[in-house]
Amino acid sequence: MSDPTVNSLLAVSDGLFLVFDESGELCDWNQTVVERTAADPESLSTMTPGDIVADEDADTMQDAIEALDETERTTVETVLVTDAGARRHYEFTLQQLTEADGEPTYGAIGRDITERKRAQQEREAIFDRMSDGVFAVDTGWHITYANAFGATVLSEAMGRELTADEIEGCHLWEEIPEAVDTVFYDNYHEAMATQEPVTFEEYYEPLDIWFDVRAYPSETGLSVYLYDITERYRNQAAVERRERILREMHEIIADHDRGFQDQVESLLELGRNVLETTYGTLSRIDGEEYHFEIVASDDDSIQSGDVGTLSATNCERVASTEETVVLGDVARDAPDQTDRVGFTDWGISCYIGAPVYVADGVYGTFCFYDTDPRDGEFSTWEQTIVDLMSRWVSYELQRQRATEQLEAKTERLEAKNEQLEQFAEMVSHDLRNPQKSSLAGCKTPTKPAARTPSIAVSTPSIG
């Protein structure tokens, strides 16, 4: 080529250099093309840039050439096969060079980016192994990269299933318009505008996920790291819920102005809400009879005062083992219990109950149940709640019994004291008034007075 610009590029270029005309055929090339490609030097003059790259990238190269009609420069990444059969990654920059005889010529400079691509793939492999999301956007908010979890988050937010490759090129805010004017939108724009990193935690309702977000800006765009902290927030919410439930329990049992029945009814209601069951019951067992003492429910199918057969209930198992019984699904967890009337006739499909003790024996049970089975088991925390409630009921019943026994004993002692006081009063009265004794209703016999013996004395007569 006689064009000085082209000759200069040929001389200084360390990469591949191709010159082609409007038809796409090669007009010139540098020695590197001969040395690093599998192209036959004798055939180069009849080839196009698309023939230089791997077959699967030929169309990509042709599309880039056609794009030169609308832009002066474009860049494309392709794979090139060497004469030894090795596959190398090349980035080609295509641009219009000069016009010869009124016809434009074009140049393509190819740089070997294999090492860069390998490093990038290693980074992407690391990112894909991460359980957190990573994605990047350019300054126009087009997605340029997303790892596996990042692609999952973005595609779910977009409402359609897309791979990481399909997501690349999508406009972030056009694809996720509901995120506009949210905390995410504001912080991403702040980072881009100030070129300062931002960190924040936010809940994204469409995905029901809490994220710890860290956005790092650069001149070419923004890199975003999404750490799923939903479990942490759920655990925190669970702890707060447990604390609230314990406070409510304490408020119920510490309110001494409320009667025992009122307190138990409130505990049963609280338990039903926590366990999401229809029924809650404090029962008393008397031989083979099962007495529903206090009942909380959404209907009147079971009422306080009803009496059933102990063997028909799951409470019989609680009483016999003196242990808490937990059945999320009776048919699944205890198929041997499905012949009980409670299951066959009443339809009790899930049950949790703890024994209530008075003195050294089982008084009854404190239990919750429903006609719908649970998908899983009652949690350890839920079992703890039932155990705590049953223990307080046991303590309160025992305290009541002890109070009643003490009151009865006190009454007997007061009666005895009253009798003693009456007797002492009578004795005191008699001592003060011996002539009016009222003891036994009789007078004390008096001893006869002693008689003075009479002595006969003879008086001599005087003459």
Side-chain angles (χ1 to χ4, degrees):
M1 295 287 297
S2 60
D3 189 299
T5 303
V6 174
N7 290 333
S8 298
L9 288 171
L10 286 170
V12 302
S13 176
D14 184 45
L16 306 180
F17 187 84
L18 305 169
V19 179
F20 53 95
D21 59 24
E22 196 170 17
S23 68
E25 289 188 353
L26 295 179
C27 304
D28 208 344
W29 52 88
N30 65 353
Q31 186 61 26
T32 310
V33 174
V34 177
E35 296 172 351
R36 298 186 184 178
T37 73
D40 180 5
E42 300 297 328
S43 304
L44 280 171
S45 60
T46 61
M47 297 174 68
T48 68
D51 297 325
I52 299 296
V53 300
D55 293 342
E56 67 268 20
D57 286 338
D59 290 341
T60 302
M61 177 64 81
Q62 185 58 38
D63 291 342
I65 291 173
E66 293 175 358
L68 290 174
D69 293 336
E70 300 177 1
T71 181
E72 293 183 357
R73 177 184 295 220
T74 186
T75 302
V76 62
E77 290 186 10
T78 67
V79 173
L80 185 147
V81 180
T82 69
D83 57 351
R87 294 173 63 86
R88 307 288 294 181
H89 290 273
Y90 270 78
E91 180 183 75
F92 282 93
T93 299
L94 288 72
Q95 70 178 73
Q96 184 175 339
L97 297 177
T98 61
E99 291 191 9
D101 301 327
E103 294 185 3
T105 57
Y106 303 89
I109 298 178
R111 295 184 300 111
D112 189 335
I113 59 170
T114 302
E115 295 306 318
R116 190 183 79 186
K117 290 293 289 186
R118 181 178 292 117
Q120 178 182 340
Q121 290 169 352
E122 289 176 355
R123 287 196 302 272
E124 291 177 358
I126 293 173
F127 285 143
D128 285 338
R129 289 194 296 270
M130 293 172 60
S131 59
D132 305 302
V134 179
F135 72 90
V137 295
D138 60 22
T139 55
W141 299 104
H142 292 91
I143 300 169
T144 58
Y145 170 76
N147 74 342
F149 183 63
T152 299
V153 171
L154 292 172
S155 63
E156 288 182 357
M158 293 175 185
R160 52 200 180 109
E161 294 184 6
L162 297 172
T163 65
D165 291 338
E166 292 170 335
I167 282 177
E168 291 185 16
C170 293
H171 192 281
L172 184 63
W173 309 120
E174 291 177 0
E175 293 289 344
I176 316 175
E178 60 271 18
V180 175
D181 295 331
T182 65
V183 173
F184 297 93
Y185 183 91
D186 294 341
N187 279 281
Y188 292 169
H189 278 77
E190 178 186 344
M192 195 84 85
T194 63
Q195 287 295 294
E196 293 290 337
V198 296
T199 301
F200 61 96
E201 294 181 0
E202 185 61 22
Y203 176 70
Y204 190 59
E205 186 174 1
L207 301 181
D208 189 26
I209 294 179
W210 276 95
F211 284 117
D212 178 338
V213 185
R214 305 186 181 194
Y216 300 94
S218 69
E219 293 180 357
T220 59
L222 190 71
S223 297
V224 180
Y225 295 78
L226 302 170
Y227 302 90
D228 185 349
I229 56 173
T230 307
E231 192 63 26
R232 190 183 83 192
Y233 268 84
R234 286 177 178 166
N235 289 339
Q236 180 180 334
V239 170
E240 292 174 353
R241 178 173 178 266
R242 292 174 184 180
E243 291 178 349
R244 176 180 57 78
I245 291 169
L246 290 175
R247 283 196 301 271
E248 290 183 26
M249 284 183 58
H250 178 264
E251 289 172 359
I252 291 171
I253 64 180
D255 189 352
H256 302 298
D257 294 333
R258 303 172 67 172
F260 175 69
Q261 178 160 336
D262 186 12
Q263 289 174 301
V264 172
E265 288 175 350
S266 296
L267 288 178
L268 290 172
E269 287 295 341
L270 177 61
R272 289 202 310 133
N273 291 331
V274 172
L275 304 170
E276 298 181 348
T277 62
T278 302
Y279 306 95
T281 301
L282 169 61
S283 71
R284 177 173 58 84
I285 297 173
D286 185 5
E288 275 301 309
E289 290 186 340
Y290 183 84
H291 296 259
F292 293 87
E293 290 211 327
I294 302 177
V295 176
S297 69
D298 293 331
D299 55 49
D300 58 358
S301 59
I302 301 174
Q303 300 182 36
S304 300
D306 288 350
V307 180
T309 303
L310 177 62
S311 59
T313 69
N314 291 300
C315 294
E316 188 273 337
R317 186 173 169 186
V318 177
S320 62
T321 62
E322 297 189 9
E323 295 179 350
T324 300
V325 171
V326 182
L327 303 171
D329 182 344
V330 174
R332 179 194 66 204
D333 302 333
D336 57 314
Q337 303 292 312
T338 55
D339 58 346
R340 294 180 184 269
V341 174
F343 182 84
T344 59
D345 293 356
W346 300 346
I348 303 302
S349 295
C350 77
Y351 173 92
I352 180 170
V356 173
Y357 298 96
V358 172
D360 295 329
V362 175
Y363 172 90
T365 61
F366 198 83
C367 58
F368 300 88
Y369 42 95
D370 208 312
T371 54
D372 294 325
R374 293 170 69 98
D375 293 335
E377 279 288 357
F378 288 99
S379 68
T380 302
W381 160 250
E382 291 171 328
Q383 296 177 42
T384 300
I385 285 294
V386 176
D387 286 340
L388 288 174
M389 289 181 175
S390 68
R391 289 180 185 180
W392 178 82
V393 172
S394 298
Y395 165 80
E396 190 62 21
L397 287 172
Q398 180 63 39
R399 187 190 66 78
Q400 289 180 10
R401 177 170 292 188
T403 299
E404 291 171 356
Q405 292 173 346
L406 180 61
E407 289 175 350
K409 185 175 181 180
T410 301
E411 288 179 1
R412 291 194 297 270
L413 287 174
E414 288 177 349
K416 266 189 177 181
N417 288 338
E418 187 176 349
Q419 291 176 353
L420 288 173
E421 288 175 1
Q422 290 176 354
F423 180 75
E425 190 174 320
M426 291 191 321
V427 170
S428 175
H429 178 270
D430 289 345
L431 289 175
R432 290 194 304 270
N433 303 281
Q435 300 303 318
K436 299 180 179 181
S437 175
S438 59
L439 293 176
C442 303
K443 292 183 179 181
T444 303
T446 57
K447 186 176 181 180
R451 295 181 179 180
T452 302
S454 55
I455 302 174
V457 179
S458 296
T459 306
S461 301
I462 300 176

